[in-house]
Amino acid sequence: MPPTGRTQQQRREETRQRLLDATIDCLVEYGFAGTTTHRVQERAGVSRGALLHHFASKAALLAAATHHAAELRLAHIRSEADSDGRTPEKGLELLRAAMSGPYFLAGLELWLAARTDPELKSALLPAEREVGTAQRAVLADIFGPEVTARSDFAMLCESLLVLHRGLALTGVLRENPSFDQELLGLWAERFLGATP
């Protein structure tokens, strides 16, 4: 039997995914200032009309790309945690890897740009809230009921995420490669009584 062709919906979804992936690639390679819709369109190999069909503005495209990148990071953490067992130490290791790679750096580019771009900030806020909720759920799965039952669990999650963002930003100029591990070890000792 001959293979069936892709449906219009499948083609639309593939185009959308190419645009999101191209946006993330451009953010990592060129930064926020160098990520233009024209550059994204060229990298994705789509027409201007296709880009505008999916994303009416640059801010909408960037917000969707940030959400897409975060979903990929979270899916990777879940997958790895499921395959290797869930322990706080393993969770911290996975989170560190997920919050230091190219997808995370693309998000940082947008957070910094949103400080002075009200349209971008407005577009990013709903996606960031959704991602924050998903991140807390992943952390709850990894750390287990003993940690999630604590009264300071929300602060534990937020402090860990803020710590990772700060390490990613300051890591650009840091010369001591072991600093991240030492600082995360201190965090784990303080909040979990464990060393990652």
PDB file of all heavy atoms in Angstrom, residues 70 73-74 77-78 86 95 99 125-144 147-148 152-162 165:
ATOM      1  N   ALA A  70      11.234  25.758  26.734  1.00  0.00           N
ATOM      2  CA  ALA A  70      11.018  25.304  28.108  1.00  0.00           C
ATOM      3  C   ALA A  70      10.359  23.930  28.128  1.00  0.00           C
ATOM      4  O   ALA A  70      10.718  23.064  28.936  1.00  0.00           O
ATOM      5  CB  ALA A  70      10.161  26.318  28.859  1.00  0.00           C
ATOM      6  N   ARG A  73      12.973  21.340  27.491  1.00  0.00           N
ATOM      7  CA  ARG A  73      13.809  21.122  28.678  1.00  0.00           C
ATOM      8  C   ARG A  73      13.071  20.274  29.707  1.00  0.00           C
ATOM      9  O   ARG A  73      13.628  19.336  30.276  1.00  0.00           O
ATOM     10  CB  ARG A  73      14.197  22.461  29.314  1.00  0.00           C
ATOM     11  CG  ARG A  73      15.206  23.266  28.529  1.00  0.00           C
ATOM     12  CD  ARG A  73      15.862  24.375  29.342  1.00  0.00           C
ATOM     13  NE  ARG A  73      15.043  25.030  30.314  1.00  0.00           N
ATOM     14  CZ  ARG A  73      14.379  26.175  30.139  1.00  0.00           C
ATOM     15  NH1 ARG A  73      14.410  26.787  28.968  1.00  0.00           N
ATOM     16  NH2 ARG A  73      13.683  26.710  31.113  1.00  0.00           N
ATOM     17  N   LEU A  74      11.804  20.598  29.957  1.00  0.00           N
ATOM     18  CA  LEU A  74      11.028  19.861  30.950  1.00  0.00           C
ATOM     19  C   LEU A  74      10.812  18.408  30.525  1.00  0.00           C
ATOM     20  O   LEU A  74      10.884  17.493  31.348  1.00  0.00           O
ATOM     21  CB  LEU A  74       9.696  20.558  31.189  1.00  0.00           C
ATOM     22  CG  LEU A  74       9.777  21.920  31.877  1.00  0.00           C
ATOM     23  CD1 LEU A  74       8.424  22.616  31.845  1.00  0.00           C
ATOM     24  CD2 LEU A  74      10.268  21.780  33.306  1.00  0.00           C
ATOM     25  N   ILE A  77      13.969  16.525  31.226  1.00  0.00           N
ATOM     26  CA  ILE A  77      14.133  16.243  32.653  1.00  0.00           C
ATOM     27  C   ILE A  77      13.238  15.080  33.065  1.00  0.00           C
ATOM     28  O   ILE A  77      13.672  14.148  33.747  1.00  0.00           O
ATOM     29  CB  ILE A  77      13.818  17.491  33.503  1.00  0.00           C
ATOM     30  CG1 ILE A  77      14.872  18.567  33.267  1.00  0.00           C
ATOM     31  CG2 ILE A  77      13.744  17.146  34.985  1.00  0.00           C
ATOM     32  CD1 ILE A  77      14.524  19.912  33.877  1.00  0.00           C
ATOM     33  N   ARG A  78      11.962  15.122  32.643  1.00  0.00           N
ATOM     34  CA  ARG A  78      11.031  14.040  32.995  1.00  0.00           C
ATOM     35  C   ARG A  78      11.517  12.696  32.467  1.00  0.00           C
ATOM     36  O   ARG A  78      11.498  11.685  33.168  1.00  0.00           O
ATOM     37  CB  ARG A  78       9.646  14.339  32.434  1.00  0.00           C
ATOM     38  CG  ARG A  78       8.882  15.387  33.174  1.00  0.00           C
ATOM     39  CD  ARG A  78       7.447  15.472  32.652  1.00  0.00           C
ATOM     40  NE  ARG A  78       6.782  16.626  33.205  1.00  0.00           N
ATOM     41  CZ  ARG A  78       6.538  17.748  32.540  1.00  0.00           C
ATOM     42  NH1 ARG A  78       6.886  17.862  31.274  1.00  0.00           N
ATOM     43  NH2 ARG A  78       5.936  18.759  33.121  1.00  0.00           N
ATOM     44  N   ARG A  86      14.108   8.484  40.491  1.00  0.00           N
ATOM     45  CA  ARG A  86      13.943   9.852  40.964  1.00  0.00           C
ATOM     46  C   ARG A  86      14.552   9.995  42.349  1.00  0.00           C
ATOM     47  O   ARG A  86      14.039   9.456  43.311  1.00  0.00           O
ATOM     48  CB  ARG A  86      12.471  10.212  41.010  1.00  0.00           C
ATOM     49  CG  ARG A  86      11.862  10.239  39.630  1.00  0.00           C
ATOM     50  CD  ARG A  86      10.361  10.445  39.693  1.00  0.00           C
ATOM     51  NE  ARG A  86       9.797  10.254  38.375  1.00  0.00           N
ATOM     52  CZ  ARG A  86       9.150  11.188  37.715  1.00  0.00           C
ATOM     53  NH1 ARG A  86       8.966  12.359  38.225  1.00  0.00           N
ATOM     54  NH2 ARG A  86       8.673  10.944  36.520  1.00  0.00           N
ATOM     55  N   LEU A  95      18.398  19.133  36.441  1.00  0.00           N
ATOM     56  CA  LEU A  95      17.991  20.528  36.358  1.00  0.00           C
ATOM     57  C   LEU A  95      19.171  21.411  35.968  1.00  0.00           C
ATOM     58  O   LEU A  95      19.038  22.319  35.153  1.00  0.00           O
ATOM     59  CB  LEU A  95      17.403  20.972  37.693  1.00  0.00           C
ATOM     60  CG  LEU A  95      16.633  22.274  37.687  1.00  0.00           C
ATOM     61  CD1 LEU A  95      15.428  22.194  36.759  1.00  0.00           C
ATOM     62  CD2 LEU A  95      16.192  22.649  39.083  1.00  0.00           C
ATOM     63  N   MET A  99      19.203  23.693  32.607  1.00  0.00           N
ATOM     64  CA  MET A  99      19.179  25.142  32.769  1.00  0.00           C
ATOM     65  C   MET A  99      20.529  25.777  32.476  1.00  0.00           C
ATOM     66  O   MET A  99      20.888  26.817  33.036  1.00  0.00           O
ATOM     67  CB  MET A  99      18.677  25.501  34.160  1.00  0.00           C
ATOM     68  CG  MET A  99      17.236  25.059  34.360  1.00  0.00           C
ATOM     69  SD  MET A  99      16.488  25.644  35.874  1.00  0.00           S
ATOM     70  CE  MET A  99      16.143  27.338  35.456  1.00  0.00           C
ATOM     71  N   LEU A 125       4.812  36.892  29.565  1.00  0.00           N
ATOM     72  CA  LEU A 125       4.286  36.605  30.901  1.00  0.00           C
ATOM     73  C   LEU A 125       3.385  35.374  30.985  1.00  0.00           C
ATOM     74  O   LEU A 125       3.597  34.523  31.846  1.00  0.00           O
ATOM     75  CB  LEU A 125       3.567  37.839  31.458  1.00  0.00           C
ATOM     76  CG  LEU A 125       4.486  38.911  32.037  1.00  0.00           C
ATOM     77  CD1 LEU A 125       3.687  40.151  32.418  1.00  0.00           C
ATOM     78  CD2 LEU A 125       5.255  38.389  33.227  1.00  0.00           C
ATOM     79  N   PRO A 126       2.381  35.208  30.123  1.00  0.00           N
ATOM     80  CA  PRO A 126       1.535  34.010  30.242  1.00  0.00           C
ATOM     81  C   PRO A 126       2.322  32.712  30.055  1.00  0.00           C
ATOM     82  O   PRO A 126       2.115  31.743  30.789  1.00  0.00           O
ATOM     83  CB  PRO A 126       0.495  34.182  29.131  1.00  0.00           C
ATOM     84  CG  PRO A 126       0.520  35.631  28.787  1.00  0.00           C
ATOM     85  CD  PRO A 126       1.901  36.104  29.066  1.00  0.00           C
ATOM     86  N   ALA A 127       3.226  32.699  29.088  1.00  0.00           N
ATOM     87  CA  ALA A 127       4.029  31.497  28.845  1.00  0.00           C
ATOM     88  C   ALA A 127       4.930  31.208  30.033  1.00  0.00           C
ATOM     89  O   ALA A 127       5.077  30.046  30.442  1.00  0.00           O
ATOM     90  CB  ALA A 127       4.862  31.659  27.575  1.00  0.00           C
ATOM     91  N   GLU A 128       5.522  32.247  30.620  1.00  0.00           N
ATOM     92  CA  GLU A 128       6.414  32.048  31.756  1.00  0.00           C
ATOM     93  C   GLU A 128       5.657  31.524  32.972  1.00  0.00           C
ATOM     94  O   GLU A 128       6.171  30.694  33.716  1.00  0.00           O
ATOM     95  CB  GLU A 128       7.146  33.347  32.096  1.00  0.00           C
ATOM     96  CG  GLU A 128       8.258  33.673  31.127  1.00  0.00           C
ATOM     97  CD  GLU A 128       9.322  32.584  31.061  1.00  0.00           C
ATOM     98  OE1 GLU A 128       9.740  32.047  32.105  1.00  0.00           O
ATOM     99  OE2 GLU A 128       9.736  32.250  29.941  1.00  0.00           O
ATOM    100  N   ARG A 129       4.445  31.995  33.182  1.00  0.00           N
ATOM    101  CA  ARG A 129       3.634  31.485  34.306  1.00  0.00           C
ATOM    102  C   ARG A 129       3.345  29.996  34.117  1.00  0.00           C
ATOM    103  O   ARG A 129       3.426  29.201  35.059  1.00  0.00           O
ATOM    104  CB  ARG A 129       2.339  32.274  34.423  1.00  0.00           C
ATOM    105  CG  ARG A 129       2.534  33.659  34.977  1.00  0.00           C
ATOM    106  CD  ARG A 129       1.196  34.342  35.271  1.00  0.00           C
ATOM    107  NE  ARG A 129       1.432  35.733  35.611  1.00  0.00           N
ATOM    108  CZ  ARG A 129       1.110  36.768  34.846  1.00  0.00           C
ATOM    109  NH1 ARG A 129       0.494  36.581  33.698  1.00  0.00           N
ATOM    110  NH2 ARG A 129       1.368  37.989  35.227  1.00  0.00           N
ATOM    111  N   GLU A 130       2.993  29.646  32.893  1.00  0.00           N
ATOM    112  CA  GLU A 130       2.702  28.246  32.594  1.00  0.00           C
ATOM    113  C   GLU A 130       3.943  27.370  32.778  1.00  0.00           C
ATOM    114  O   GLU A 130       3.884  26.290  33.365  1.00  0.00           O
ATOM    115  CB  GLU A 130       2.192  28.141  31.150  1.00  0.00           C
ATOM    116  CG  GLU A 130       1.473  26.859  30.840  1.00  0.00           C
ATOM    117  CD  GLU A 130       0.889  26.872  29.431  1.00  0.00           C
ATOM    118  OE1 GLU A 130       0.296  27.886  29.027  1.00  0.00           O
ATOM    119  OE2 GLU A 130       1.041  25.859  28.760  1.00  0.00           O
ATOM    120  N   VAL A 131       5.066  27.860  32.310  1.00  0.00           N
ATOM    121  CA  VAL A 131       6.322  27.121  32.455  1.00  0.00           C
ATOM    122  C   VAL A 131       6.700  26.993  33.922  1.00  0.00           C
ATOM    123  O   VAL A 131       7.144  25.939  34.374  1.00  0.00           O
ATOM    124  CB  VAL A 131       7.451  27.804  31.649  1.00  0.00           C
ATOM    125  CG1 VAL A 131       8.816  27.243  32.022  1.00  0.00           C
ATOM    126  CG2 VAL A 131       7.203  27.625  30.155  1.00  0.00           C
ATOM    127  N   GLY A 132       6.513  28.057  34.691  1.00  0.00           N
ATOM    128  CA  GLY A 132       6.824  28.007  36.124  1.00  0.00           C
ATOM    129  C   GLY A 132       6.012  26.943  36.838  1.00  0.00           C
ATOM    130  O   GLY A 132       6.542  26.188  37.675  1.00  0.00           O
ATOM    131  N   THR A 133       4.726  26.849  36.514  1.00  0.00           N
ATOM    132  CA  THR A 133       3.874  25.814  37.110  1.00  0.00           C
ATOM    133  C   THR A 133       4.372  24.423  36.734  1.00  0.00           C
ATOM    134  O   THR A 133       4.452  23.530  37.587  1.00  0.00           O
ATOM    135  CB  THR A 133       2.416  26.000  36.634  1.00  0.00           C
ATOM    136  OG1 THR A 133       1.969  27.292  37.045  1.00  0.00           O
ATOM    137  CG2 THR A 133       1.505  24.935  37.197  1.00  0.00           C
ATOM    138  N   ALA A 134       4.742  24.244  35.469  1.00  0.00           N
ATOM    139  CA  ALA A 134       5.253  22.942  35.018  1.00  0.00           C
ATOM    140  C   ALA A 134       6.584  22.609  35.687  1.00  0.00           C
ATOM    141  O   ALA A 134       6.825  21.450  36.056  1.00  0.00           O
ATOM    142  CB  ALA A 134       5.410  22.944  33.494  1.00  0.00           C
ATOM    143  N   GLN A 135       7.450  23.609  35.863  1.00  0.00           N
ATOM    144  CA  GLN A 135       8.735  23.365  36.517  1.00  0.00           C
ATOM    145  C   GLN A 135       8.532  22.910  37.961  1.00  0.00           C
ATOM    146  O   GLN A 135       9.193  21.980  38.423  1.00  0.00           O
ATOM    147  CB  GLN A 135       9.601  24.634  36.495  1.00  0.00           C
ATOM    148  CG  GLN A 135      10.195  24.913  35.142  1.00  0.00           C
ATOM    149  CD  GLN A 135      10.921  26.249  35.102  1.00  0.00           C
ATOM    150  OE1 GLN A 135      10.521  27.208  35.737  1.00  0.00           O
ATOM    151  NE2 GLN A 135      11.992  26.299  34.348  1.00  0.00           N
ATOM    152  N   ARG A 136       7.612  23.557  38.671  1.00  0.00           N
ATOM    153  CA  ARG A 136       7.338  23.152  40.055  1.00  0.00           C
ATOM    154  C   ARG A 136       6.789  21.730  40.112  1.00  0.00           C
ATOM    155  O   ARG A 136       7.117  20.965  41.019  1.00  0.00           O
ATOM    156  CB  ARG A 136       6.396  24.152  40.724  1.00  0.00           C
ATOM    157  CG  ARG A 136       7.094  25.458  41.073  1.00  0.00           C
ATOM    158  CD  ARG A 136       6.210  26.375  41.901  1.00  0.00           C
ATOM    159  NE  ARG A 136       5.087  26.906  41.148  1.00  0.00           N
ATOM    160  CZ  ARG A 136       5.157  27.929  40.302  1.00  0.00           C
ATOM    161  NH1 ARG A 136       6.302  28.530  40.089  1.00  0.00           N
ATOM    162  NH2 ARG A 136       4.087  28.341  39.658  1.00  0.00           N
ATOM    163  N   ALA A 137       5.950  21.363  39.148  1.00  0.00           N
ATOM    164  CA  ALA A 137       5.417  19.994  39.110  1.00  0.00           C
ATOM    165  C   ALA A 137       6.533  18.978  38.879  1.00  0.00           C
ATOM    166  O   ALA A 137       6.549  17.913  39.501  1.00  0.00           O
ATOM    167  CB  ALA A 137       4.347  19.876  38.024  1.00  0.00           C
ATOM    168  N   VAL A 138       7.465  19.303  37.990  1.00  0.00           N
ATOM    169  CA  VAL A 138       8.596  18.402  37.739  1.00  0.00           C
ATOM    170  C   VAL A 138       9.453  18.271  38.995  1.00  0.00           C
ATOM    171  O   VAL A 138       9.865  17.174  39.376  1.00  0.00           O
ATOM    172  CB  VAL A 138       9.445  18.895  36.544  1.00  0.00           C
ATOM    173  CG1 VAL A 138      10.763  18.153  36.457  1.00  0.00           C
ATOM    174  CG2 VAL A 138       8.670  18.714  35.244  1.00  0.00           C
ATOM    175  N   LEU A 139       9.714  19.396  39.651  1.00  0.00           N
ATOM    176  CA  LEU A 139      10.508  19.350  40.883  1.00  0.00           C
ATOM    177  C   LEU A 139       9.794  18.539  41.964  1.00  0.00           C
ATOM    178  O   LEU A 139      10.431  17.788  42.704  1.00  0.00           O
ATOM    179  CB  LEU A 139      10.802  20.766  41.376  1.00  0.00           C
ATOM    180  CG  LEU A 139      11.783  21.572  40.529  1.00  0.00           C
ATOM    181  CD1 LEU A 139      11.865  23.009  41.020  1.00  0.00           C
ATOM    182  CD2 LEU A 139      13.159  20.932  40.527  1.00  0.00           C
ATOM    183  N   ALA A 140       8.476  18.679  42.036  1.00  0.00           N
ATOM    184  CA  ALA A 140       7.713  17.897  43.015  1.00  0.00           C
ATOM    185  C   ALA A 140       7.854  16.403  42.729  1.00  0.00           C
ATOM    186  O   ALA A 140       8.037  15.596  43.655  1.00  0.00           O
ATOM    187  CB  ALA A 140       6.244  18.312  42.988  1.00  0.00           C
ATOM    188  N   ASP A 141       7.790  16.018  41.459  1.00  0.00           N
ATOM    189  CA  ASP A 141       7.967  14.608  41.091  1.00  0.00           C
ATOM    190  C   ASP A 141       9.353  14.106  41.464  1.00  0.00           C
ATOM    191  O   ASP A 141       9.522  12.993  41.960  1.00  0.00           O
ATOM    192  CB  ASP A 141       7.767  14.410  39.583  1.00  0.00           C
ATOM    193  CG  ASP A 141       6.314  14.459  39.175  1.00  0.00           C
ATOM    194  OD1 ASP A 141       5.443  14.405  40.064  1.00  0.00           O
ATOM    195  OD2 ASP A 141       6.047  14.554  37.967  1.00  0.00           O
ATOM    196  N   ILE A 142      10.364  14.921  41.198  1.00  0.00           N
ATOM    197  CA  ILE A 142      11.741  14.499  41.438  1.00  0.00           C
ATOM    198  C   ILE A 142      12.058  14.431  42.933  1.00  0.00           C
ATOM    199  O   ILE A 142      12.662  13.475  43.405  1.00  0.00           O
ATOM    200  CB  ILE A 142      12.722  15.459  40.719  1.00  0.00           C
ATOM    201  CG1 ILE A 142      12.639  15.226  39.203  1.00  0.00           C
ATOM    202  CG2 ILE A 142      14.148  15.251  41.201  1.00  0.00           C
ATOM    203  CD1 ILE A 142      13.395  16.231  38.379  1.00  0.00           C
ATOM    204  N   PHE A 143      11.646  15.455  43.677  1.00  0.00           N
ATOM    205  CA  PHE A 143      12.009  15.500  45.092  1.00  0.00           C
ATOM    206  C   PHE A 143      11.155  14.589  45.965  1.00  0.00           C
ATOM    207  O   PHE A 143      11.570  14.215  47.054  1.00  0.00           O
ATOM    208  CB  PHE A 143      11.935  16.940  45.610  1.00  0.00           C
ATOM    209  CG  PHE A 143      13.017  17.833  45.055  1.00  0.00           C
ATOM    210  CD1 PHE A 143      12.749  19.142  44.748  1.00  0.00           C
ATOM    211  CD2 PHE A 143      14.296  17.358  44.849  1.00  0.00           C
ATOM    212  CE1 PHE A 143      13.740  19.972  44.244  1.00  0.00           C
ATOM    213  CE2 PHE A 143      15.297  18.174  44.348  1.00  0.00           C
ATOM    214  CZ  PHE A 143      15.024  19.487  44.044  1.00  0.00           C
ATOM    215  N   GLY A 144       9.957  14.240  45.506  1.00  0.00           N
ATOM    216  CA  GLY A 144       9.127  13.302  46.254  1.00  0.00           C
ATOM    217  C   GLY A 144       8.336  13.939  47.376  1.00  0.00           C
ATOM    218  O   GLY A 144       8.518  15.116  47.705  1.00  0.00           O
ATOM    219  N   VAL A 147       9.845  16.050  50.545  1.00  0.00           N
ATOM    220  CA  VAL A 147      10.255  17.438  50.307  1.00  0.00           C
ATOM    221  C   VAL A 147       9.052  18.299  49.935  1.00  0.00           C
ATOM    222  O   VAL A 147       8.918  19.429  50.408  1.00  0.00           O
ATOM    223  CB  VAL A 147      11.341  17.504  49.209  1.00  0.00           C
ATOM    224  CG1 VAL A 147      11.691  18.951  48.877  1.00  0.00           C
ATOM    225  CG2 VAL A 147      12.596  16.750  49.649  1.00  0.00           C
ATOM    226  N   THR A 148       8.148  17.781  49.107  1.00  0.00           N
ATOM    227  CA  THR A 148       7.005  18.607  48.655  1.00  0.00           C
ATOM    228  C   THR A 148       6.035  18.917  49.783  1.00  0.00           C
ATOM    229  O   THR A 148       5.290  19.893  49.695  1.00  0.00           O
ATOM    230  CB  THR A 148       6.243  17.933  47.495  1.00  0.00           C
ATOM    231  OG1 THR A 148       5.824  16.634  47.902  1.00  0.00           O
ATOM    232  CG2 THR A 148       7.117  17.819  46.269  1.00  0.00           C
ATOM    233  N   ASP A 152       8.033  25.163  53.160  1.00  0.00           N
ATOM    234  CA  ASP A 152       8.846  26.074  52.343  1.00  0.00           C
ATOM    235  C   ASP A 152       9.097  25.536  50.929  1.00  0.00           C
ATOM    236  O   ASP A 152      10.004  25.997  50.248  1.00  0.00           O
ATOM    237  CB  ASP A 152      10.185  26.371  53.032  1.00  0.00           C
ATOM    238  CG  ASP A 152      11.086  25.140  53.147  1.00  0.00           C
ATOM    239  OD1 ASP A 152      10.595  23.997  52.925  1.00  0.00           O
ATOM    240  OD2 ASP A 152      12.277  25.313  53.464  1.00  0.00           O
ATOM    241  N   PHE A 153       8.258  24.591  50.476  1.00  0.00           N
ATOM    242  CA  PHE A 153       8.517  23.975  49.173  1.00  0.00           C
ATOM    243  C   PHE A 153       8.466  24.994  48.028  1.00  0.00           C
ATOM    244  O   PHE A 153       9.294  24.966  47.131  1.00  0.00           O
ATOM    245  CB  PHE A 153       7.538  22.818  48.889  1.00  0.00           C
ATOM    246  CG  PHE A 153       7.774  22.175  47.559  1.00  0.00           C
ATOM    247  CD1 PHE A 153       8.924  21.445  47.316  1.00  0.00           C
ATOM    248  CD2 PHE A 153       6.858  22.313  46.520  1.00  0.00           C
ATOM    249  CE1 PHE A 153       9.174  20.866  46.083  1.00  0.00           C
ATOM    250  CE2 PHE A 153       7.097  21.731  45.278  1.00  0.00           C
ATOM    251  CZ  PHE A 153       8.256  21.005  45.065  1.00  0.00           C
ATOM    252  N   ALA A 154       7.506  25.912  48.054  1.00  0.00           N
ATOM    253  CA  ALA A 154       7.414  26.915  46.988  1.00  0.00           C
ATOM    254  C   ALA A 154       8.678  27.773  46.949  1.00  0.00           C
ATOM    255  O   ALA A 154       9.230  28.048  45.877  1.00  0.00           O
ATOM    256  CB  ALA A 154       6.176  27.786  47.179  1.00  0.00           C
ATOM    257  N   MET A 155       9.177  28.168  48.124  1.00  0.00           N
ATOM    258  CA  MET A 155      10.402  28.965  48.183  1.00  0.00           C
ATOM    259  C   MET A 155      11.611  28.130  47.757  1.00  0.00           C
ATOM    260  O   MET A 155      12.519  28.644  47.082  1.00  0.00           O
ATOM    261  CB  MET A 155      10.609  29.502  49.605  1.00  0.00           C
ATOM    262  CG  MET A 155      11.821  30.397  49.726  1.00  0.00           C
ATOM    263  SD  MET A 155      11.761  31.850  48.639  1.00  0.00           S
ATOM    264  CE  MET A 155      10.539  32.827  49.462  1.00  0.00           C
ATOM    265  N   LEU A 156      11.609  26.871  48.090  1.00  0.00           N
ATOM    266  CA  LEU A 156      12.683  25.963  47.673  1.00  0.00           C
ATOM    267  C   LEU A 156      12.766  25.920  46.142  1.00  0.00           C
ATOM    268  O   LEU A 156      13.844  26.095  45.570  1.00  0.00           O
ATOM    269  CB  LEU A 156      12.403  24.565  48.245  1.00  0.00           C
ATOM    270  CG  LEU A 156      13.374  23.449  47.941  1.00  0.00           C
ATOM    271  CD1 LEU A 156      13.400  22.473  49.114  1.00  0.00           C
ATOM    272  CD2 LEU A 156      12.978  22.705  46.688  1.00  0.00           C
ATOM    273  N   CYS A 157      11.635  25.744  45.497  1.00  0.00           N
ATOM    274  CA  CYS A 157      11.600  25.694  44.025  1.00  0.00           C
ATOM    275  C   CYS A 157      12.063  27.012  43.423  1.00  0.00           C
ATOM    276  O   CYS A 157      12.914  27.031  42.525  1.00  0.00           O
ATOM    277  CB  CYS A 157      10.186  25.397  43.526  1.00  0.00           C
ATOM    278  SG  CYS A 157       9.628  23.732  43.852  1.00  0.00           S
ATOM    279  N   GLU A 158      11.498  28.099  43.922  1.00  0.00           N
ATOM    280  CA  GLU A 158      11.820  29.402  43.343  1.00  0.00           C
ATOM    281  C   GLU A 158      13.291  29.746  43.539  1.00  0.00           C
ATOM    282  O   GLU A 158      13.944  30.256  42.633  1.00  0.00           O
ATOM    283  CB  GLU A 158      10.924  30.482  43.958  1.00  0.00           C
ATOM    284  CG  GLU A 158      10.919  31.777  43.197  1.00  0.00           C
ATOM    285  CD  GLU A 158      10.486  31.627  41.736  1.00  0.00           C
ATOM    286  OE1 GLU A 158       9.648  30.765  41.423  1.00  0.00           O
ATOM    287  OE2 GLU A 158      11.009  32.384  40.906  1.00  0.00           O
ATOM    288  N   SER A 159      13.818  29.453  44.714  1.00  0.00           N
ATOM    289  CA  SER A 159      15.233  29.767  44.962  1.00  0.00           C
ATOM    290  C   SER A 159      16.144  28.957  44.054  1.00  0.00           C
ATOM    291  O   SER A 159      17.161  29.465  43.566  1.00  0.00           O
ATOM    292  CB  SER A 159      15.594  29.533  46.432  1.00  0.00           C
ATOM    293  OG  SER A 159      15.568  28.150  46.751  1.00  0.00           O
ATOM    294  N   LEU A 160      15.782  27.724  43.785  1.00  0.00           N
ATOM    295  CA  LEU A 160      16.597  26.882  42.911  1.00  0.00           C
ATOM    296  C   LEU A 160      16.583  27.405  41.473  1.00  0.00           C
ATOM    297  O   LEU A 160      17.621  27.464  40.805  1.00  0.00           O
ATOM    298  CB  LEU A 160      16.105  25.433  42.960  1.00  0.00           C
ATOM    299  CG  LEU A 160      16.900  24.409  42.160  1.00  0.00           C
ATOM    300  CD1 LEU A 160      18.373  24.398  42.580  1.00  0.00           C
ATOM    301  CD2 LEU A 160      16.284  23.025  42.323  1.00  0.00           C
ATOM    302  N   LEU A 161      15.411  27.807  40.994  1.00  0.00           N
ATOM    303  CA  LEU A 161      15.303  28.334  39.634  1.00  0.00           C
ATOM    304  C   LEU A 161      16.040  29.667  39.491  1.00  0.00           C
ATOM    305  O   LEU A 161      16.743  29.899  38.504  1.00  0.00           O
ATOM    306  CB  LEU A 161      13.833  28.480  39.241  1.00  0.00           C
ATOM    307  CG  LEU A 161      13.048  27.164  39.192  1.00  0.00           C
ATOM    308  CD1 LEU A 161      11.567  27.426  38.957  1.00  0.00           C
ATOM    309  CD2 LEU A 161      13.599  26.223  38.148  1.00  0.00           C
ATOM    310  N   VAL A 162      15.902  30.528  40.485  1.00  0.00           N
ATOM    311  CA  VAL A 162      16.602  31.818  40.456  1.00  0.00           C
ATOM    312  C   VAL A 162      18.113  31.592  40.511  1.00  0.00           C
ATOM    313  O   VAL A 162      18.880  32.258  39.807  1.00  0.00           O
ATOM    314  CB  VAL A 162      16.119  32.718  41.625  1.00  0.00           C
ATOM    315  CG1 VAL A 162      17.031  33.916  41.808  1.00  0.00           C
ATOM    316  CG2 VAL A 162      14.687  33.168  41.380  1.00  0.00           C
ATOM    317  N   ARG A 165      19.309  30.547  37.078  1.00  0.00           N
ATOM    318  CA  ARG A 165      19.335  31.686  36.143  1.00  0.00           C
ATOM    319  C   ARG A 165      20.550  32.573  36.417  1.00  0.00           C
ATOM    320  O   ARG A 165      21.232  33.006  35.492  1.00  0.00           O
ATOM    321  CB  ARG A 165      18.047  32.500  36.266  1.00  0.00           C
ATOM    322  CG  ARG A 165      16.841  31.790  35.712  1.00  0.00           C
ATOM    323  CD  ARG A 165      15.575  32.623  35.882  1.00  0.00           C
ATOM    324  NE  ARG A 165      14.432  31.830  35.505  1.00  0.00           N
ATOM    325  CZ  ARG A 165      13.337  31.687  36.260  1.00  0.00           C
ATOM    326  NH1 ARG A 165      13.243  32.297  37.421  1.00  0.00           N
ATOM    327  NH2 ARG A 165      12.334  30.946  35.843  1.00  0.00           N
TER     328      ARG A 165
END
